[in-house]
Amino acid sequence: MFLLFFGGIAMEMMLIGKKYYERVTQPIITTESWEQYLKLIHDSIDNDYSLRFTTYSGGYEHHVSGKCYLFNESLKTILVSGIIVRDTEIISIERL
């Protein structure tokens, strides 16, 4: 939340997305979860369908949809609609 002081009155402005108040800096992804995500990503590339990624970044939940490509498998990064998504940011992946 940002506080804007306008004429002595504090106005709050919410950013788009769900705010997380837990003391977690990033989601925890297990090796099994990453392997399932990789299968889904490879399947979406082979069968040409889009995915929706729910990510956590900067304390907020974000949604990125589109066709994805493995950007760098060793670094666990994925390119989705021109946006690079890291494995540590992923909350969930859904098929569209």
Side-chain angles (χ1 to χ4, degrees), residues 7-20:
I9 299 173
M11 297 170 43
E12 294 181 357
M13 185 173 82
M14 290 292 296
L15 295 177
I16 297 173
K18 184 177 178 183
K19 174 72 175 169
Y20 287 84

